[in-house]
Amino acid sequence: MEKSDRADRAQRHRKRMQRKKEIVDAAIARADQQKGLLLVHTGNGKGKSSSAFGMVARALGHGMHVGVAQFIKGRSDTGEEAFFRQQENVIWHVLGEGFTWDTQNLARDTETAQRGWAIVQDLLRDPTLDLIVLDELTYPLKYGWLDITTVLNDLEHRPPMQHVVVTGRGAPDALCDAADTVTEMRDIKHAYRAGIQAQRGIDL
Ligand code: ATP
Ligand code: MG
């Protein structure tokens, strides 16, 4: 390449980057609001809960206070629970014990879920909690054990700077509509389908 061509290219690159920087700077200047966010992680791919717990680590790193409520069936000893329970700024509730999942006892499942939601309501009224993770909340919503209108109303009336992350497959449209950030994890491939068990440190 000729020397003048090289100089030309460098000049064009500089101009392009300059324009890009102006656009990015303007976008940053526009994004000047502070607000407690509602985030939804849904979809069939892996990464919904683990991303939420990544945010828990971020928040704790800033000295923030975090509440976690898990609407899961029974118990599995997860690494995140073992780790985060040791942190002094974390409150951790497992609310799913007693769910049957096959709705053989709808009345009992509903009662369990609603008892769980009462605990979440306390978290959502606590302005000292900066971040709340409602892990697998979409299931009790999907099965109708919790009333979506009540849930949305409680979320709406939480402290203005409190962030909430909801995880779980099949998030209801009304929840996604209310959210500020919605991410759908897409399943392209999962080791499970090749016959590989859930691996410690990766899946639990
Ligand atoms: P993770 O907790 O790993 O972020 P997740 O919250 O996105 O996963 P869940 O639907 O809560 O996914 O399922 C939890 C478990 O199921 C994890 O062990 C995860 O690896 C596994 N899993 C997630 N996606 C898939 C999938 N598409 N096929 C099979 N197993 C999956
Ligand atoms: Mg999950």
Side-chain angles (χ1 to χ4, degrees):
M1 200 190 291
E2 293 285 323
K3 205 171 166 189
S4 62
D5 282 349
R6 267 207 305 274
D8 235 37
R9 272 186 67 185
Q11 170 76 2
R12 278 203 306 276
H13 178 77
R14 219 172 11 249
K15 275 235 168 79
R16 211 160 50 227
M17 288 302 125
Q18 211 169 16
R19 274 199 302 274
K20 200 181 167 89
K21 181 170 163 35
E22 280 161 18
I23 292 167
V24 170
D25 285 350
I28 292 170
R30 262 197 313 277
D32 61 352
Q33 298 177 52
Q34 290 277 1
K35 165 177 199 280
L37 298 176
L38 176 60
L39 302 95
V40 174
H41 297 172
T42 192
N44 294 330
K46 172 177 166 55
K48 299 175 288 295
S49 298
S50 44
S51 166
F53 296 129
M55 280 181 245
V56 173
R58 283 185 166 169
L60 293 176
H62 289 294
M64 294 161 79
H65 290 70
V66 180
V68 176
Q70 294 190 293
F71 286 85
I72 49 169
K73 178 194 172 190
R75 295 235 36 140
S76 81
D77 290 323
T78 64
E80 57 268 25
E81 183 178 354
F83 179 78
F84 286 121
R85 269 195 194 277
Q86 293 172 13
Q87 309 297 314
E88 59 176 326
N89 291 346
V90 174
I91 300 171
W92 195 287
H93 293 288
V94 179
L95 305 172
E97 279 143 318
F99 285 148
T100 58
W101 290 104
D102 47 15
T103 53
Q104 291 193 355
N105 193 337
L106 180 62
R108 204 189 67 192
D109 289 341
T110 302
E111 198 189 297
T112 307
Q114 293 190 355
R115 222 173 323 125
W117 189 253
I119 291 168
V120 171
Q121 283 175 324
D122 286 340
L123 304 179
L124 292 172
R125 285 186 199 116
D126 182 350
T128 69
L129 289 175
D130 304 296
L131 170 65
I132 293 178
V133 174
L134 304 176
D135 193 29
E136 322 297 348
L137 174 65
T138 57
Y139 301 100
L141 290 174
K142 204 157 66 180
Y143 290 111
W145 301 335
L146 291 178
D147 172 38
I148 180 83
T149 313
T150 307
V151 166
L152 290 177
N153 185 62
D154 292 337
L155 287 170
E156 195 187 327
H157 292 98
R158 72 189 191 277
M161 277 312 298
Q162 188 180 69
H163 303 297
V164 176
V165 187
V166 175
T167 84
R169 299 178 190 209
D173 289 342
L175 179 66
C176 295
D177 289 346
D180 300 285
T181 298
V182 180
T183 303
E184 181 173 10
M185 306 294 172
R186 187 157 68 95
D187 178 22
I188 293 175
K189 199 190 227 190
H190 197 287
Y192 174 75
R193 288 197 294 284
I196 299 157
Q197 285 181 10
Q199 297 292 301
R200 288 174 78 183
I202 301 296
D203 298 299
L204 77 165

